[in-house]
Amino acid sequence: MKKYLYLLLGFIFFNIYSIAQEKKYPQIDGGLKPLSVKDSILLSNLPELKLPEKYKGPDAPLLPPVVDNSQEIYWRPVFSQVGFECGQASGIGQNFTYEINSRRDLPSDIPDNQYPTHFCWNFGNGGDGYYGVSYFHSFQIVKTCGTPNVTDYGGSMSYGGPRRWMSGYNEYYNGMHNRISSVYAIYGQTEEGILTLKHWINDHLNGSDVGGVASFYASCPYGMETLPPGTPEEGKYVMTQWDSYANHALAIAGYNDSIRWDFNNDGQYTNDIDINNDGIVDVRDWEIGGLKFSNNYSGGPNWGNEGFCYMMYKALGDPMSNGGIWNHAAHVLYSKETCSPQLTMRVILKHDRRSRIRVTTGISSDTSDTEPSYVLDFPIFNYQGGPYYMQGGSSEEDKIIEFGLDITPLLNKINSGQIAKFFLLVDENDPETYCSGEIIHYSIIDYTNGVNEIFYDETNVPLNNNDLTTLPIIHTINYNDVSIDTDELPPATVFEPYNFQLTASGG
């Protein structure tokens, strides 16, 4: 019996991953599958980003009538995806690239500051790339593991195709520095929701000089109209209605409060008339104002207006069954300007069927333990990638992969200066004994005071067939812990909004 207390990081998510590898989904629109029920549930349960109090009322910051963040240096030029990685084209190639570069004040038009679609996509696409993968999965990877830039990935967004898994500790380590801290949903079925999204686009809801972007799910943008003559942006493409399923991800770059479309054909453009005759005037009745989005599918920069199109605000208010986008939702990221792993694991692993193994890590403060007290899971190397060699190729060398994992969260389970036992855990699920593998190299690397690599004392350790292989390393880490410097909080008044800035040092 394996008796660990698991550190659950996205438990449901990891189970979805293991299921997804064995299942092919029905295809529509040339291979883009609709969001699965499980993905829809997960995305629906993301925390909601709401309008802060200071953005409400007469003293709220004024919004400009037009914001177009595709003109910022942080916007990656629209590109053409090569397969069904639309979730990663929107979520990583556009959204994450923009958000992290806006934090770092770096331009997004060079490979060093761009982030590939296929690093994340290839861990979830079953190995063949026959279907898309929700950007929710990719956000989990970037949050827990990070992502390499395009240069480290090989020079292109899709280097090596849909089956390749990147090999090289340095590349994984560099990727650990590129992370997100959280993902939020903004729901646009209300006027306040639209206002929240516009403020995010304008100033990140925090008064920044530069605003943010977002991702959303809808159908492929077929059936585009053109904005009417004599109206703002006349002749530009606009989506006035989406199909009733969500199988494509796109990125929101800006908004324009003046574009318009006459939905009820009454010869006027209004936001204050009940045009759908439901007895309520709300976003579903708006004929003025909309969002600018990009599309990396169907030709990328050659699609629409150099890769861009508008959609009316009404599309956020309408249900998907009546022309709206999925769940009325736009998804936004908080990226980390810096991230410095304190403790990592370097592994060189050989196996001939990557979908049969899972790699986890663990820790125990009792060095006599033969198994960890806490286990840290990852959304990569988790029974994924199809029945292929570790790197996805067919040569003997492709059976071997070198990678790194950030195991800094395990330090939360021990005190600084405390001796502990760190574990590499490789589970093999191979009841037919089809497969074989070995751990060629295993070490942990302590970055708390320079670079100190501690090696496991054996190499080329065979994996236990259809069972768990556990390799421990004992080490003492003197890390710089976080200290809250605030001694007390000022009094609060019941039923009134309250906030106070804590100060901290270390860590």
Side-chain angles (χ1 to χ4, degrees):
M1 292 293 290
K2 303 172 184 176
K3 298 180 180 178
Y4 324 129
L5 176 60
Y6 277 88
L7 253 173
L8 295 180
L9 299 177
F11 178 76
I12 298 176
F13 158 70
F14 295 128
N15 278 282
I16 288 175
Y17 253 126
S18 62
I19 294 170
Q21 304 317 301
E22 306 301 327
K23 182 177 180 180
K24 293 290 185 283
Y25 293 87
Q27 308 298 310
I28 57 178
D29 285 351
L32 299 175
K33 72 179 180 70
L35 278 175
S36 69
V37 173
K38 292 175 181 177
D39 283 349
S40 296
I41 292 172
L42 288 168
L43 283 164
S44 298
N45 287 318
L46 288 175
E48 180 180 0
L49 186 60
K50 296 185 178 181
L51 192 66
E53 289 298 320
K54 68 178 181 179
Y55 283 78
K56 301 177 182 178
D59 297 326
L62 295 177
L63 280 166
V66 179
V67 175
D68 185 359
N69 288 329
S70 69
Q71 302 303 307
E72 297 285 350
I73 64 170
Y74 316 117
W75 177 266
R76 191 221 186 277
V78 176
F79 57 94
S80 182
Q81 65 188 77
V82 299
F84 305 130
E85 74 278 14
C86 62
Q88 294 62 49
S90 168
I92 305 298
Q94 297 290 11
N95 195 338
F96 174 72
T97 297
Y98 177 97
E99 293 298 345
I100 195 166
N101 286 340
S102 68
R103 291 292 302 275
R104 295 172 173 176
D105 194 23
L106 297 173
S108 293
D109 60 351
I110 60 174
D112 283 356
N113 301 331
Q114 295 172 347
Y115 298 92
T117 52
H118 281 46
F119 175 76
C120 291
W121 185 50
N122 289 5
F123 279 106
N125 66 14
D128 295 309
Y130 291 152
Y131 53 82
V133 176
S134 164
Y135 53 59
F136 173 79
H137 300 315
S138 298
F139 295 157
Q140 291 282 21
I141 292 175
V142 178
K143 184 176 183 179
T144 58
C145 304
T147 176
N149 62 23
V150 166
T151 300
D152 278 347
Y153 193 65
S156 73
M157 303 286 279
S158 57
Y159 180 78
R163 193 175 293 173
R164 171 183 176 250
W165 282 4
M166 183 179 72
S167 183
Y169 172 79
N170 289 336
E171 287 76 11
Y172 279 89
Y173 176 70
N174 290 344
M176 296 174 198
H177 295 76
N178 308 315
R179 309 282 269 274
I180 60 174
S181 59
S182 53
V183 184
Y184 285 88
I186 298 175
Y187 297 105
Q189 69 267 49
T190 66
E191 183 174 357
E192 184 171 307
I194 298 291
L195 193 60
T196 304
L197 180 55
K198 288 167 59 178
H199 277 293
W200 171 266
I201 294 170
N202 182 55
D203 71 354
H204 277 118
L205 288 170
N206 61 13
S208 298
D209 293 334
V210 177
V213 299
S215 297
F216 70 99
Y217 273 105
S219 61
C220 278
Y222 301 144
M224 295 182 294
E225 306 280 359
T226 54
L227 291 168
T231 67
E233 297 289 90
E234 65 175 281
K236 294 287 183 67
Y237 287 111
V238 62
M239 284 297 294
T240 61
Q241 187 170 8
W242 300 84
D243 283 332
S244 58
Y245 51 82
N247 72 327
H248 191 40
L250 306 109
I252 295 170
Y255 69 82
N256 187 314
D257 282 339
S258 299
I259 63 170
R260 49 201 67 204
W261 185 263
D262 185 7
F263 284 96
N264 63 345
N265 297 310
D266 66 353
Q268 56 183 334
Y269 306 105
T270 63
N271 280 5
D272 57 1
I273 295 176
D274 179 16
I275 65 172
N276 62 2
N277 300 311
D278 64 354
I280 304 170
V281 177
D282 57 19
V283 176
R284 294 171 293 179
D285 302 298
W286 287 8
E287 296 181 316
I288 304 173
L291 300 164
K292 182 177 182 179
F293 68 89
S294 69
N295 181 24
N296 296 300
Y297 194 59
S298 302
N302 297 318
W303 174 88
N305 300 120
E306 298 180 325
F308 293 94
C309 181
Y310 284 106
M311 68 172 168
M312 306 305 292
Y313 290 141
K314 188 178 188 295
L316 277 73
D318 282 329
M320 195 166 62
S321 60
N322 192 37
I325 68 171
W326 179 81
N327 206 32
H328 316 281
H331 300 107
V332 301
L333 307 176
Y334 282 94
S335 62
K336 293 185 176 183
E337 181 177 356
T338 60
C339 183
S340 300
Q342 300 297 290
L343 185 67
T344 67
M345 188 171 285
R346 175 174 168 243
V347 181
I348 301 176
L349 179 64
K350 182 178 182 179
H351 204 269
D352 49 23
R353 185 168 293 191
R354 61 192 184 185
S355 62
R356 294 292 181 98
I357 61 170
R358 176 179 64 178
V359 178
T360 57
T361 65
I363 191 173
S364 180
S365 58
D366 187 342
T367 58
S368 66
D369 285 349
T370 57
E371 56 187 32
S373 300
Y374 300 93
V375 171
L376 179 63
D377 295 76
F378 295 90
I380 60 176
F381 305 106
N382 192 8
Y383 300 128
Q384 299 158 296
Y388 304 110
Y389 295 164
M390 294 305 299
Q391 292 191 52
S394 57
S395 69
E396 186 68 19
E397 291 77 14
D398 287 319
K399 293 181 180 180
I400 301 172
I401 192 168
E402 180 185 35
F403 59 92
L405 297 170
D406 182 3
I407 61 172
T408 305
L410 293 177
L411 298 181
N412 290 317
K413 302 303 176 183
I414 59 173
N415 297 319
S416 179
Q418 179 180 0
I419 191 171
K421 182 179 280 190
F422 298 89
F423 294 85
L424 168 65
L425 310 165
V426 180
D427 261 307
E428 184 183 72
N429 181 16
D430 181 32
E432 304 91 352
T433 67
Y434 288 157
C435 313
S436 63
E438 61 180 306
I439 301 168
I440 297 174
H441 167 94
Y442 157 49
S443 62
I444 60 174
I445 305 180
D446 179 358
Y447 292 94
T448 59
N449 185 18
V451 181
N452 181 20
E453 185 168 9
I454 303 94
F455 298 90
Y456 186 70
D457 56 8
E458 295 181 46
T459 59
N460 301 93
V461 179
L463 294 179
N464 296 323
N465 184 67
N466 197 38
D467 202 352
L468 177 68
T469 302
T470 304
L471 302 186
I473 289 177
I474 296 175
H475 182 56
T476 302
I477 298 183
N478 295 287
Y479 63 88
N480 186 12
D481 204 357
V482 176
S483 175
I484 303 298
D485 298 329
T486 303
D487 293 327
E488 60 182 24
L489 299 176
T493 303
V494 178
F495 305 123
E496 290 187 9
Y498 176 86
N499 67 79
F500 183 76
Q501 180 66 53
L502 298 177
T503 61
S505 59

